[in-house]
Amino acid sequence: MAATIILAWSVLLFSSFHGSHAQIPANISLGSGLTAGTNESWRSLSGEFAFGFYRLTGGLFLVGIWLDMIPERTLVWSANRDSPANAGSTVRLTYNGQLFLTYSNQTVQSIYTGASTSLGFMQNDGNFVLKDSNSNVLWQSFDSPTDTLLPGQYLVEGRKLYSNAKGNVDYSTGRFMLEMQNDGNLVLSAYHFSDPGYWYTSTSQPNVSLVFNSSTASMYLVSSTDIIHSLTMNISATPVENYYHKAVIDDHGNFQQYVYEKRNGSQWTSLWKAVTEPCYVNAVCGVYGFCTSPDNETVTCTCLPGYSPLDPSNLSKGCYPEVVPNYCADPSMRNFTVEVIDDADFPFMNFADMARIKPADVESCKKAVMEDCYCMAASLDYSTCNKKRMPLLNARKSPSTYGKKALIKVPIRTNATDVQDGDQKKNSHSRALLKAGFFTSVVLFFSSAATAIYYHPAAQRYRQRKNYSNATAVGINFRAFTFQELHEATNGFNKSLGRGSSGSVYGGILKLEDKQIEIAVKKLEKVIDQGKKEFLTELRVISRTHHKNLVRLLGFCDEDNHHILVYELMKNGALSGFLFREGERPRWDHRAEIVLEIARGLLYLHEECETQIIHCDIKPENVLLDSNYTAKIADFGLAKLLMKDQTRTSTNVRGTMGYIAPEWLKNVPATAKVDLYSFGVMLLEIICCRRQIELHRVEEETEADDLVLTDWIVSSLRSGKLEMVVRHDVEVLNDFKRFERMAMVGLWCVHPDPILRPSMKKVTQMLEGTTEVGIAPLVNAQL
Ligand SMILES: *[C@@H]1O[C@H](CO)[C@@H](O)[C@H](O)[C@H]1NC(C)=O
Ligand SMILES: *[C@@H]1O[C@H](CO)[C@@H](O)[C@H](O)[C@H]1NC(C)=O
Ligand SMILES: *[C@@H]1O[C@H](CO)[C@@H](O)[C@H](O)[C@H]1NC(C)=O
Ligand SMILES: *[C@@H]1O[C@H](CO)[C@@H](O)[C@H](O)[C@H]1NC(C)=O
Ligand SMILES: *[C@@H]1O[C@H](CO)[C@@H](O)[C@H](O)[C@H]1NC(C)=O
Ligand SMILES: *[C@@H]1O[C@H](CO)[C@@H](O)[C@H](O)[C@H]1NC(C)=O
Ligand SMILES: *[C@@H]1O[C@H](CO)[C@@H](O)[C@H](O)[C@H]1NC(C)=O
Ligand SMILES: *[C@@H]1O[C@H](CO)[C@@H](O)[C@H](O)[C@H]1NC(C)=O
Ligand SMILES: *[C@@H]1O[C@H](CO)[C@@H](O)[C@H](O)[C@H]1NC(C)=O
Ligand SMILES: *[C@@H]1O[C@H](CO)[C@@H](O)[C@H](O)[C@H]1NC(C)=O
Ligand SMILES: *[C@@H]1O[C@H](CO)[C@@H](O)[C@H](O)[C@H]1NC(C)=O
Ligand SMILES: *[C@@H]1O[C@H](CO)[C@@H](O)[C@H](O)[C@H]1NC(C)=O
């Protein structure tokens, strides 16, 4: 042993080769090490490949393998792409045959820790291997590829390549993935978005591998020994003796084979690429980006009108809206406009697709986008107007011969002083409305529909009408209050608990004979003027509901122009605040209990109370927590009380973005199944403790989180890695079976086909464990 060490050291000290780069022969004996910043490396016998610390432009280093005889020193593999090392860090093949990277701060990252090796070897093909004493390969760099394949390398079932974040500038894990799927399909995808893929081979044999043949430098797929699909066969005369070859997934999501002629002044040139039109790579310009590629080579990203870059130094990361107007709370339609982009296209994306209008021209398509407050954009394709909702992905330039147009809703950026001067006196009411819209976009403390509340004509069909002749005698514990009483109880309506477009909510204390009750008083603003009788009829329906998971309506006031509802106060506010607050997440047991409580409340509304009530706006803002943190559903039965805005007839949907069942957007009559959908979305939010749509996730490039929670769960299940969704939640991981069951229930609820969604009764039984949960259908939720 001692002799070997001495040999290794003498080699290190005396063999100086190739300029300032120390060379150590291909056999790496145990105990050998390299230090970042010293230019030492372990080279292949041919000298073409080197293993060591690869110097990055910022003075940091990656443990990697690179082509050492060309000026580009092209990096083909690295061990620590996401955490580069400082000078002074070391990589060492230890005496017990394991390979470690020790950062200069003493943090140790293991590269290989398996059975004991007896030597390392930098092969001439660019593969660094660790072998045991019988020369069996125990570990090889070819088995853990980064973004590059070399001739001789295989991508076997389940293996993936990930692009770099930015070309040769930032080698950390980027946004695109090439996966040799277990089902035999080779797929390129923007994995952040649980993208089903923008390029694939559609192969489906068992045990398929991608082979990069070392003698012909061609790439093809094999199943056992049969070639089933060719990527680059007989591509051109570029023999491996005279050319370096590599296949790379690049930072714009393309997979290409490159060659480099072994002569001075040569450069890498592309022999083949998977995607011919770069703008067809999904999410190539991120959310709200716009892709242009006039030559089919370069990609230029810009932002859609009304949006700004998330990272001005890297436009392909996508954009964010400069203002987030609540279009549904802006019925005047004066605060936004629709811009038309010629020769542009928003291609099909499951999530974003809404109704289609046919035939349509620019004007009617524009009008359709204007009038639908959930619609953010549309593409006009010949005479079909395809409405889209947020988030918008894949907007791109399309050839002028196609004559396609893209329409996008853009907030008007008014000069603040204009608003002040112009409208102040004559139109203070509409300004108040606009302001209301602005405030509703922040999370409210107290429940109130955060979006404009419209009522869906279909919802009322499930209510039978009854006539109650006398107002005051509507029920025990339920009474009519005078305005004066409520004015006193709320101390002149001075303690606001929040507000939404249906009205403001105030806190107060009601003094009854012997006790005091804390109340929440909701002043409705847009009540339909249909007479006292109708108003009381609706209240009667609400007042007759009694369930411990519903917020109790104590009474009302219907004097002059005042329409006020009086509820018991829910001390702990809305579920949304509890769930999505900063800091510690609520306990898993408690979250699971809350799901069950909401399910019971909703079951009561749908199936157990006198007249069925469809809530139509189930979301965490409309679930409140009492002093014991018991969940209670709020705001049910309000749909009929609130005015439908006459100018917005095409979108008379009560509901909130992200929670609305897809059939509502298609103007199909709604049933109680719309609540099931919203409940399903909310269930998944509660158990995962995150919002259905989280735009800010996009910024965290290293996390594989998805923008849309339901899509992410579906894709995680498809790849058999549901636990990824809750990987930071130890409590859930320790109770994973229950989580899995609840997730399945949620997925059944968000089934795009309402008929296949279970009833609330079935849901409750599945959650309680008295009925088995079937394997959830792995379809994307928003077809
Ligand atoms: C590397 O090690 C192997 C096995 O120990 C030996 O057969 C071979 O000759 C060595 N090669 C060099 C270049 O030292
Ligand atoms: C390592 O190589 C670089 C570039 O060739 C050179 O500038 C530097 O001085 C070398 N460092 C050592 C310690 O030899
Ligand atoms: C040491 O440095 C590495 C790489 O910069 C970093 O990932 C790690 O967190 C650091 N460890 C400590 C304890 O600071
Ligand atoms: C799958 O194919 C690879 C490479 O062709 C082979 O090494 C492996 O043994 C095969 N696995 C099975 C289960 O057949
Ligand atoms: C590479 O291709 C040659 C010629 O087609 C073939 O003979 C050889 O078996 C292939 N090698 C591998 C590892 O598949
Ligand atoms: C490649 O070329 C060889 C010989 O020229 C031929 O036999 C083979 O069929 C070709 N393969 C493909 C996929 O074109
Ligand atoms: C490349 O250039 C170097 C020095 O500039 C020279 O020594 C070498 O012979 C050249 N190689 C070829 C293949 O032309
Ligand atoms: C880009 O590629 C597409 C598909 O191959 C082709 O139709 C189009 O003409 C190309 N555009 C340019 C500018 O080369
Ligand atoms: C905003 O209004 C002020 C005063 O009316 C004017 O001077 C300024 O140019 C306006 N700015 C824009 C961007 O229109
Ligand atoms: C309308 O635009 C103004 C100015 O940008 C903004 O302050 C206001 O909140 C907007 N109103 C709505 C309802 O979005
Ligand atoms: C309601 O009933 C009360 C007493 O039962 C009666 O005094 C009152 O006039 C009735 N109101 C209406 C509107 O019928
Ligand atoms: C809270 O729980 C306690 C004990 O179970 C019960 O006595 C009390 O009435 C509950 N409070 C509310 C507001 O439900």
Side-chain angles (χ1 to χ4, degrees):
M1 178 64 81
T4 348
I5 302 163
I6 290 164
L7 181 70
W9 274 105
S10 57
V11 162
L12 193 139
L13 291 171
F14 302 115
S15 72
S16 187
F17 182 88
H18 215 277
S20 62
H21 300 250
Q23 193 227 11
I24 293 170
N27 272 3
I28 314 303
S29 49
L30 300 185
S32 305
L34 297 169
T35 304
T38 59
N39 293 339
E40 309 155 342
S41 63
W42 295 331
R43 300 169 113 228
S44 63
L45 286 171
S46 65
E48 290 181 317
F49 286 97
F51 178 104
F53 281 100
Y54 184 82
R55 187 186 294 270
L56 302 176
T57 41
L60 295 174
F61 297 85
L62 294 182
V63 172
I65 296 170
W66 62 91
L67 279 158
D68 203 35
M69 291 198 350
I70 61 175
E72 289 84 355
R73 296 179 19 109
T74 307
L75 187 73
V76 296
W77 177 83
S78 69
N80 58 327
R81 66 194 300 190
D82 292 318
S83 44
N86 285 309
S89 304
T90 60
V91 63
R92 187 164 299 280
L93 183 59
T94 61
Y95 286 108
N96 53 13
Q98 320 217 303
L99 191 61
F100 289 110
L101 160 61
T102 307
Y103 288 96
S104 53
N105 64 10
Q106 302 308 317
T107 298
V108 175
Q109 178 187 329
S110 58
I111 301 172
Y112 171 76
T113 54
S116 191
T117 53
S118 57
L119 62 80
F121 194 77
M122 183 66 243
Q123 297 185 166
N124 281 339
D125 58 1
N127 192 8
F128 184 76
V129 298
L130 298 175
K131 294 181 179 176
D132 67 12
S133 50
N134 298 321
S135 287
N136 296 316
V137 173
L138 294 174
W139 180 88
Q140 51 185 331
S141 60
F142 270 15
D143 282 347
S144 52
T146 47
D147 65 334
T148 304
L149 293 180
L150 293 171
Q153 196 165 358
Y154 283 41
L155 196 66
V156 302
E157 270 199 333
R159 286 246 167 89
K160 297 159 185 168
L161 298 184
Y162 290 97
S163 66
N164 284 349
K166 195 171 183 188
N168 295 335
V169 177
D170 181 352
Y171 289 93
S172 63
T173 310
R175 297 181 294 138
F176 302 99
M177 174 173 84
L178 176 75
E179 181 175 13
M180 186 66 252
Q181 293 183 173
N182 293 326
D183 62 3
N185 202 356
L186 181 68
V187 178
L188 279 171
S189 66
Y191 67 99
H192 277 280
F193 297 95
S194 72
D195 173 16
Y198 47 86
W199 177 87
Y200 34 85
T201 54
S202 298
T203 40
S204 64
Q205 278 79 349
N207 194 21
V208 177
S209 301
L210 169 61
V211 175
F212 199 168
N213 186 305
S214 57
S215 54
T216 61
S218 56
M219 287 195 292
Y220 45 83
L221 300 182
V222 298
S223 172
S224 57
T225 54
D226 302 332
I227 297 181
I228 58 163
H229 188 94
S230 153
L231 300 177
T232 62
M233 292 267 259
N234 296 352
I235 192 153
S236 84
T238 51
V240 289
E241 299 76 38
N242 304 329
Y243 291 84
Y244 293 117
H245 286 258
K246 63 169 184 171
V248 179
I249 176 171
D250 63 39
D251 56 344
H252 286 121
N254 213 341
F255 182 53
Q256 308 197 48
Q257 183 173 342
Y258 294 90
V259 287
Y260 187 104
E261 199 178 341
K262 297 179 182 175
R263 62 170 171 83
N264 282 347
S266 183
Q267 60 179 8
W268 287 107
T269 48
S270 174
L271 262 191
W272 170 85
K273 53 187 168 189
V275 180
T276 47
E277 291 172 85
C279 288
Y280 279 69
V281 169
N282 280 340
V284 66
C285 289
V287 192
Y288 300 119
F290 187 78
C291 177
T292 322
S293 176
D295 54 0
N296 282 346
E297 299 284 338
T298 52
V299 174
T300 306
C301 292
T302 51
C303 288
L304 286 168
Y307 295 83
S308 300
L310 280 168
D311 176 358
S313 70
N314 187 356
L315 289 171
S316 56
K317 283 190 177 172
C319 310
Y320 68 95
E322 287 151 12
V323 285
V324 189
N326 184 347
Y327 291 115
C328 293
D330 179 19
S332 70
M333 289 193 273
R334 294 185 351 182
N335 230 24
F336 59 88
T337 180
V338 171
E339 281 193 22
V340 179
I341 313 171
D342 287 325
D343 301 326
D345 189 18
F346 292 114
F348 175 80
M349 280 298 282
N350 273 344
F351 175 74
D353 270 36
M354 296 170 74
R356 234 154 242 226
I357 298 156
K358 204 177 169 178
D361 57 11
V362 177
E363 282 315 308
S364 60
C365 192
K366 218 168 159 174
K367 187 160 177 285
V369 176
M370 281 300 265
E371 289 182 346
D372 184 340
C373 66
Y374 295 103
C375 176
M376 299 298 285
S379 68
L380 184 63
D381 184 355
Y382 303 106
S383 58
T384 309
C385 174
N386 306 289
K387 292 201 293 173
K388 311 272 174 181
R389 56 175 153 175
M390 64 173 285
L392 296 172
L393 278 171
N394 293 359
R396 63 196 174 204
K397 192 86 187 157
S398 83
S400 59
T401 47
Y402 294 3
K404 292 187 178 186
K405 289 182 197 311
L407 286 76
I408 176 151
K409 196 179 266 180
V410 180
I412 294 174
R413 306 232 269 153
T414 45
N415 200 331
T417 47
D418 277 1
V419 178
Q420 293 283 322
D421 295 341
D423 288 344
Q424 192 146 34
K425 287 179 198 85
K426 67 171 191 250
N427 210 347
S428 63
H429 177 66
S430 81
R431 275 186 54 236
L433 267 177
L434 293 181
K435 245 184 172 163
F438 178 71
F439 282 120
T440 48
S441 60
V442 300
V443 176
L444 298 179
F445 165 66
F446 196 77
S447 122
S448 32
T451 334
I453 295 183
Y454 303 106
Y455 82 88
H456 195 277
Q460 60 181 307
R461 283 200 251 123
Y462 297 88
R463 295 260 204 84
Q464 296 127 38
R465 283 158 189 264
K466 281 182 187 153
N467 280 321
Y468 296 97
S469 51
N470 197 308
T472 40
V474 277
I476 316 156
N477 294 334
F478 181 71
R479 50 175 286 228
F481 293 90
T482 64
F483 185 74
Q484 188 55 35
E485 272 179 289
L486 295 180
H487 193 271
E488 276 163 24
T490 59
N491 203 0
F493 299 100
N494 76 344
K495 189 183 168 203
S496 174
L497 298 179
R499 62 155 299 142
S501 47
S502 67
S504 304
V505 181
Y506 302 92
I509 294 172
L510 204 60
K511 296 184 182 70
L512 296 179
E513 301 88 56
D514 55 343
K515 56 180 177 178
Q516 299 194 337
I517 302 177
E518 286 184 275
I519 54 169
V521 167
K522 182 170 206 158
K523 275 176 136 176
L524 299 178
E525 274 165 14
K526 298 181 189 167
V527 174
I528 308 169
D529 187 20
Q530 55 177 217
K532 242 183 168 59
K533 209 167 104 182
E534 293 288 312
F535 182 75
L536 294 173
T537 305
E538 294 307 316
L539 288 187
R540 172 78 192 183
V541 172
I542 302 173
S543 73
R544 290 174 68 142
T545 56
H546 290 285
H547 191 274
K548 74 176 168 61
N549 299 118
L550 298 180
V551 175
R552 273 292 294 284
L553 183 65
L554 302 174
F556 67 98
C557 165
D558 181 28
E559 257 180 43
D560 305 326
N561 288 324
H562 301 295
H563 295 98
I564 302 175
L565 303 182
V566 181
Y567 292 101
E568 58 177 334
L569 181 75
M570 295 290 112
K571 282 261 179 53
N572 284 306
L575 176 62
S576 51
F578 181 62
L579 217 49
F580 308 128
R581 69 187 170 190
E582 296 274 312
E584 214 180 317
R585 63 172 79 82
R587 274 184 18 248
W588 160 239
D589 278 348
H590 189 195
R591 272 148 58 206
E593 184 57 33
I594 285 175
V595 169
L596 201 53
E597 287 166 352
I598 301 167
R600 288 182 186 132
L602 208 47
L603 169 64
Y604 176 86
L605 288 178
H606 283 182
E607 296 176 30
E608 292 169 356
C609 67
E610 210 172 302
T611 45
Q612 182 185 42
I613 295 178
I614 301 177
H615 189 293
C616 301
D617 199 11
I618 290 287
K619 59 179 175 180
E621 283 74 14
N622 280 339
V623 172
L624 304 181
L625 300 170
D626 73 4
S627 50
N628 285 349
Y629 286 93
T630 299
K632 298 187 180 215
I633 300 171
D635 260 13
F636 53 91
L638 285 192
K640 282 221 65 190
L641 289 178
L642 299 167
M643 178 167 56
K644 169 175 85 171
D645 189 319
Q646 297 304 321
T647 62
R648 314 288 301 276
T649 48
S650 63
T651 55
N652 36 18
V653 173
R654 175 174 142 95
T656 302
M657 187 101 69
Y659 302 90
I660 313 173
E663 67 268 21
W664 268 40
L665 298 172
K666 293 173 182 158
N667 275 335
V668 179
T671 67
K673 293 294 178 73
V674 300
D675 281 349
L676 264 296
Y677 183 92
S678 312
F679 172 80
V681 173
M682 186 169 71
L683 180 156
L684 296 171
E685 290 185 318
I686 297 171
I687 62 175
C688 301
C689 233
R690 66 153 268 194
R691 290 252 181 209
Q692 158 77 340
I693 301 177
E694 254 179 28
L695 288 179
H696 297 292
R697 296 262 161 168
V698 183
E699 294 169 63
E700 299 170 21
E701 293 266 273
T702 53
E703 303 245 319
D705 290 0
D706 198 90
L707 200 60
V708 179
L709 178 62
T710 44
D711 288 355
W712 186 29
I713 292 175
V714 167
S715 73
S716 304
L717 267 171
R718 271 206 195 113
S719 55
K721 292 191 193 117
L722 182 60
E723 65 279 3
M724 275 300 287
V725 178
V726 285
R727 64 191 182 284
H728 301 307
D729 197 331
V730 181
E731 283 184 320
V732 174
L733 292 174
N734 288 337
D735 188 16
F736 194 69
K737 276 266 168 287
R738 174 151 69 146
F739 172 83
E740 201 173 14
R741 194 180 60 206
M742 294 178 83
M744 293 297 167
V745 174
L747 288 182
W748 275 111
C749 291
V750 298
H751 197 290
D753 184 351
I755 293 168
L756 292 181
R757 285 174 216 148
S759 67
M760 228 33 240
K761 176 124 212 127
K762 188 95 188 288
V763 166
T764 315
Q765 288 168 346
M766 290 192 290
L767 290 173
E768 284 168 344
T770 53
T771 295
E772 204 153 313
V773 187
I775 298 294
L778 294 187
V779 289
N780 275 31
Q782 300 88 2
L783 281 183

